[in-house]
Amino acid sequence: MWIHIKSQDMPNLHIPIPNCLLLNRLTLHLLTKKLTQKANGNDSLQAFLSSPALVGRRKQEILREMRTMHKRFGKLELVYVESDDGTQVQIVL
């Protein structure tokens, strides 16, 4: 995964993150645990975390599909944001 940040007033920043650090069960467990702690009072986030899409084996299926998409499509753009001042943030799997 790559995070690209392009700005006019500072140098461009390209951050490589190994997919093996992101697409594993430990990271997914830690992420859902932290999101559950932060979800106190946010009804939409609580509903998302308790949805059937993120229960049990479905989490592992999501990780498997992310790995498959990475193999199949190579550079898959997940996020692209451009602000008013011209700063661009791009996250590529």
Side-chain angles (χ1 to χ4, degrees):
M1 175 180 283
W2 283 88
I3 300 175
H4 303 284
I5 302 171
K6 297 179 183 176
S7 179
Q8 295 175 355
D9 57 344
M10 55 185 250
N12 294 342
L13 185 62
H14 302 283
I15 305 169
I17 301 173
N19 288 328
C20 62
L21 291 178
L22 296 175
L23 302 177
N24 62 47
R25 289 184 295 172
L26 176 63
T27 304
L28 183 64
H29 174 73
L30 293 174
L31 178 67
T32 54
K33 185 176 178 182
K34 185 56 87 172
L35 283 174
T36 305
Q37 291 173 355
K38 296 285 185 181
N40 297 337
N42 188 341
D43 295 332
S44 61
L45 185 56
Q46 286 177 345
F48 173 72
L49 290 172
S50 63
S51 70
L54 287 179
V55 177
R57 303 205 83 191
R58 297 286 297 186
K59 294 178 191 178
Q60 294 176 6
E61 291 174 14
I62 292 170
L63 290 177
R64 190 176 313 119
E65 286 301 318
M66 290 289 284
R67 289 186 202 112
T68 303
M69 286 191 313
H70 175 64
K71 289 177 184 176
R72 183 179 297 165
F73 299 112
K75 293 185 176 183
L76 180 64
E77 184 176 74
L78 299 177
V79 176
Y80 181 81
V81 179
E82 187 171 348
S83 68
D84 293 336
D85 64 352
T87 302
Q88 299 173 353
V89 176
Q90 180 183 23
I91 299 177
V92 179
L93 181 63

